[in-house]
Amino acid sequence: MAVYTHVPAEDIDAFLARYDAGRLVSAKGIAEGVENSNYLLETTGPDGQAGGGQRYILTLYEKRVDEADLPFFMDLLDHLGARGCRVPRFIADRDGRRLQQLAGRPACLIEFLTGISVTEPTPAQARAAGAALGSLHKAAQGFAGERRNALDKAGWHALAARCGEDLDQIQPGLAPRVADELAWLDAHWPGDLPHSVIHADLFPDNVLMLGDEVTGLIDFYFSCTDVRAYDLAVTHSAWCFSNDGATWFGERAAALGAGYAEAHGLTEAERAAFPALCRGAALRFLLTRAYDWINTPADALVTRKDPLAYLRRLDFYAKADPAELLGA
Amino acid sequence: MAVYTHVPAEDIDAFLARYDAGRLVSAKGIAEGVENSNYLLETTGPDGQAGGGQRYILTLYEKRVDEADLPFFMDLLDHLGARGCRVPRFIADRDGRRLQQLAGRPACLIEFLTGISVTEPTPAQARAAGAALGSLHKAAQGFAGERRNALDKAGWHALAARCGEDLDQIQPGLAPRVADELAWLDAHWPGDLPHSVIHADLFPDNVLMLGDEVTGLIDFYFSCTDVRAYDLAVTHSAWCFSNDGATWFGERAAALGAGYAEAHGLTEAERAAFPALCRGAALRFLLTRAYDWINTPADALVTRKDPLAYLRRLDFYAKADPAELLGA
């Protein structure tokens, strides 16, 4: 959520000269996404007309994104875009290259999409997000690329081990609570549900909207191959609670489920496993936030997100009536 | 250089509804300027047409800007804008108000200007910057507003006292060097040069350009009433050296001086005092950077700028042939 690498405007202009994108007329470092450096560029557009207001995102990849994964993301967004999903495509230069180097970092020019990220989704917006996720899953069929989910259940075990007893510094009793939950998930995690490419991080931040319409799904840097319905569980945990996890919004959840059902739908087995998938999703964000909390100085560049906001979601899912989760 | 206050997009849209500015279609937190929170907004434009790509800057004022100073800045930019200077004007809402509250902060909607900030100015660009500064000084004539420069010579004394012996932690001997320089400036500071409203911080960052043309002067939050030629000295110290202060670019300086002379010009007395004004400018940035260096944790949100880059400029000015400073 900051600009880590400063790139002189002259260098951005020289970088753009490799593309049919026009000349640079504005460059603003923007604070968004995972830990990359992002610039919002405006150019004269391919026809060289000043004031054309053509916009692009320039991303420089910092530590959290592995350069070897970039072709997977590029191919995925091409595949989804070609099938009607509103996703930001990576732009190729005149030689067909999408991956460049700039300021010593891997760097890409990416399509800019309009739309704003809502903070308090209405049920209509949650429904649109559910439908967009379903459409994404539909469009992902036939995509040949695969990427392992580093934050799957085995990944949660590894993260919990690295946090160790420090979890109890966040809240006394959190370490045994996490151990118990991992044991429960080991016993109840569904083994044979349909897999697919999933977004795996579809928070409201990563959905651009105009009114009730989705205009873009962004930030695919956690996308991977995993249990398809787990993607809906992640989205559910992100859209259906107050930020601190203390309040559950059943109407949003029902709308999210209805939107997803309309565009894609869940099998009976997926529906039956949904509570366990939600518990997994809540534990995943609890653990990554806890790890960052333990390992990030309180005054560092990155804002620490409260892990307990996801413990509250986990508590909710562990006690919830399964039927109520998707308003079925 | 970060976004300190997060404003939900819904709240920005509601804020915009007070203006004839259209509906929000994009909002990106941008990393720029002094310690305010800035968003680059895109709206449908006053005619409500989506895709119009009308852009604005939304600024929320954090600790460094005193709300009581905002009317001075607003009136100044109106005055300058009405006289042909390319400066970002504060936009009034339908009730004529330019100052609002948003997310608990003073907040303003401001005109967006295209253009990029150069990092390594060419002589032609330095000339354009000098001319833009001269035009600003010309346009400022007749402006009735006044604002004391908190970072005048008395302010440097106060800052040096607050830094105290900690200056020697930055570099051994820096504390007595600063004391000697302050004594020299007390003895040589020109008392009777023309005063004017000055920008006081016209770094390349604060000049937007397209090619060799200045398209905007921005970030007036240090503007104040002070010795007019001191503004050129500040600009000189910012434009005519490598970032680290180790290399002096005489061609840029000559061009900057020529551009200023063309648009406004220096009196003989200003020209004679220019070396002292440059020493003052170098000491001013040395001291504010030193103060921040001493008082900012190394891993904090704000990037610390090297005070010694301005000690090197000070060393240069103290030894320079006065005739060479502006290439006269």
Side-chain angles (χ1 to χ4, degrees):
Chain A
M1 295 293 287
V3 176
Y4 299 87
T5 302
H6 174 77
V7 190
E10 294 96 323
D11 296 356
I12 297 177
D13 193 37
F15 171 90
L16 279 176
R18 301 176 202 166
Y19 296 82
D20 284 321
R23 296 297 300 270
L24 187 66
V25 299
S26 178
K28 305 287 184 196
I30 59 175
E32 73 174 34
V34 292
E35 292 176 39
N36 299 320
S37 295
N38 290 291
Y39 288 85
L40 174 55
L41 309 184
E42 185 179 324
T43 74
T44 53
D47 59 358
Q49 289 278 93
Q54 185 76 27
R55 280 139 300 150
Y56 300 94
I57 300 289
L58 167 65
T59 299
L60 284 82
Y61 295 94
E62 311 285 344
K63 60 185 176 177
R64 277 219 179 170
V65 172
D66 183 349
E67 186 171 345
D69 284 330
L70 288 173
F72 170 85
F73 302 134
M74 293 173 174
D75 293 345
L76 174 62
L77 294 180
D78 263 359
H79 179 95
L80 296 174
R83 280 154 189 80
C85 290
R86 294 186 173 183
V87 294
R89 302 230 218 163
F90 290 76
I91 296 168
D93 70 10
R94 284 196 207 86
D95 298 326
R97 280 177 315 178
R98 293 176 296 185
L99 176 60
Q100 316 272 355
Q101 289 281 320
L102 185 60
R105 307 262 174 210
C108 293
L109 190 67
I110 299 173
E111 201 181 343
F112 169 83
L113 300 176
T114 52
I116 60 179
S117 299
V118 298
T119 297
E120 292 296 339
T122 63
Q125 291 169 330
R127 186 181 184 107
L133 184 68
S135 299
L136 184 155
H137 288 169
K138 228 173 195 167
Q141 286 168 24
F143 178 63
E146 293 204 359
R147 180 171 177 258
R148 195 180 83 77
N149 186 1
L151 291 167
D152 63 3
K153 191 156 62 65
W156 310 336
H157 274 281
L159 258 182
R162 288 171 75 185
C163 291
E165 295 307 314
D166 287 345
L167 287 170
D168 283 342
Q169 291 175 13
I170 298 172
Q171 177 167 299
L174 186 57
R177 175 81 169 83
V178 164
D180 289 351
E181 187 65 23
L182 281 168
W184 188 90
L185 287 168
D186 282 340
H188 296 88
W189 193 251
D192 52 359
L193 294 179
H195 280 54
S196 154
V197 165
I198 64 173
H199 184 285
D201 195 39
L202 201 65
F203 279 61
D205 274 359
N206 293 333
V207 178
L208 300 177
M209 308 192 82
L210 288 177
D212 297 341
E213 186 194 351
V214 172
T215 57
L217 303 178
I218 62 173
D219 213 344
F220 279 77
Y221 299 107
F222 287 104
S223 66
C224 56
T225 315
D226 207 336
V227 172
R228 190 176 58 211
Y230 171 69
D231 214 6
L232 183 61
V234 166
T235 309
H236 191 274
S237 75
W239 284 72
C240 305
F241 295 84
S242 60
N243 202 27
D244 65 1
T247 307
W248 147 258
F249 297 110
E251 261 192 287
R252 286 190 206 167
L256 180 80
Y260 186 79
E262 199 176 84
H264 191 283
L266 291 171
T267 65
E268 270 315 302
E270 287 174 324
R271 202 169 277 277
F274 198 67
L277 298 174
C278 287
R279 288 173 72 160
L283 186 67
R284 174 255 186 264
F285 289 100
L286 165 58
L287 282 170
T288 48
R289 288 183 171 201
Y291 181 83
D292 288 345
W293 193 268
I294 292 164
N295 293 288
T296 304
D299 57 359
L301 200 61
V302 177
T303 308
R304 302 193 302 179
K305 293 180 177 168
D306 183 9
L308 299 179
Y310 271 81
L311 179 61
R312 293 183 201 109
R313 287 162 166 86
L314 182 57
D315 287 341
F316 176 87
Y317 286 132
K319 288 180 200 154
D321 173 0
E324 134 187 70
L325 285 185
L326 290 169
Chain B
M1 294 292 287
V3 176
Y4 299 87
T5 302
H6 174 77
V7 190
E10 294 96 324
D11 295 356
I12 297 178
D13 194 36
F15 170 89
L16 279 175
R18 301 177 202 166
Y19 295 83
D20 283 320
R23 295 297 301 269
L24 187 66
V25 300
S26 179
K28 306 286 183 193
I30 59 175
E32 73 175 33
V34 292
E35 289 174 41
N36 298 321
S37 295
N38 290 291
Y39 288 84
L40 174 55
L41 309 184
E42 186 180 324
T43 74
T44 54
D47 58 357
Q49 288 278 95
Q54 185 75 27
R55 281 139 301 152
Y56 299 95
I57 300 289
L58 168 65
T59 299
L60 284 83
Y61 295 94
E62 310 284 343
K63 60 183 175 177
R64 277 217 180 173
V65 172
D66 183 350
E67 187 170 345
D69 283 330
L70 288 172
F72 169 85
F73 301 135
M74 293 172 174
D75 292 346
L76 174 62
L77 294 180
D78 263 0
H79 180 96
L80 296 174
R83 281 152 188 83
C85 290
R86 294 187 173 182
V87 293
R89 301 229 218 161
F90 290 76
I91 296 168
D93 70 10
R94 284 195 208 88
D95 298 326
R97 279 177 314 177
R98 293 177 296 185
L99 176 60
Q100 315 273 354
Q101 289 281 320
L102 185 60
R105 306 262 174 210
C108 293
L109 191 68
I110 299 174
E111 200 180 345
F112 169 84
L113 300 176
T114 52
I116 60 180
S117 299
V118 297
T119 297
E120 292 296 340
T122 63
Q125 290 168 331
R127 186 182 183 105
L133 183 67
S135 299
L136 185 155
H137 288 169
K138 227 171 196 169
Q141 287 168 22
F143 178 64
E146 293 205 0
R147 180 171 178 256
R148 196 181 83 77
N149 186 2
L151 291 167
D152 62 3
K153 189 155 63 64
W156 311 335
H157 274 281
L159 259 181
R162 289 172 74 184
C163 291
E165 296 306 313
D166 287 344
L167 287 171
D168 283 342
Q169 290 174 13
I170 297 172
Q171 178 168 297
L174 186 57
R177 175 82 169 83
V178 164
D180 289 350
E181 187 65 23
L182 280 168
W184 188 91
L185 287 167
D186 282 340
H188 296 87
W189 193 251
D192 52 359
L193 295 179
H195 280 53
S196 153
V197 165
I198 64 172
H199 184 285
D201 194 39
L202 200 66
F203 279 62
D205 274 359
N206 293 333
V207 178
L208 300 176
M209 308 193 83
L210 288 177
D212 296 340
E213 186 194 351
V214 172
T215 57
L217 303 179
I218 61 173
D219 214 343
F220 278 76
Y221 299 108
F222 287 104
S223 66
C224 55
T225 314
D226 206 338
V227 172
R228 189 176 58 210
Y230 171 68
D231 214 6
L232 182 61
V234 166
T235 309
H236 191 275
S237 75
W239 284 72
C240 305
F241 296 84
S242 60
N243 201 28
D244 66 0
T247 307
W248 147 257
F249 296 112
E251 262 193 287
R252 287 189 205 167
L256 180 79
Y260 187 80
E262 200 177 82
H264 192 283
L266 291 172
T267 65
E268 270 315 300
E270 286 174 325
R271 202 169 276 278
F274 198 67
L277 297 174
C278 287
R279 286 172 73 160
L283 186 67
R284 173 257 186 262
F285 290 99
L286 165 57
L287 282 169
T288 49
R289 288 184 172 201
Y291 181 81
D292 288 345
W293 193 270
I294 290 164
N295 293 288
T296 306
D299 57 358
L301 199 63
V302 177
T303 308
R304 302 193 302 181
K305 292 181 178 168
D306 183 10
L308 298 180
Y310 271 81
L311 178 61
R312 292 182 202 108
R313 286 164 167 86
L314 182 57
D315 287 342
F316 175 87
Y317 287 133
K319 288 181 200 153
D321 172 1
E324 135 188 68
L325 284 186
L326 290 169

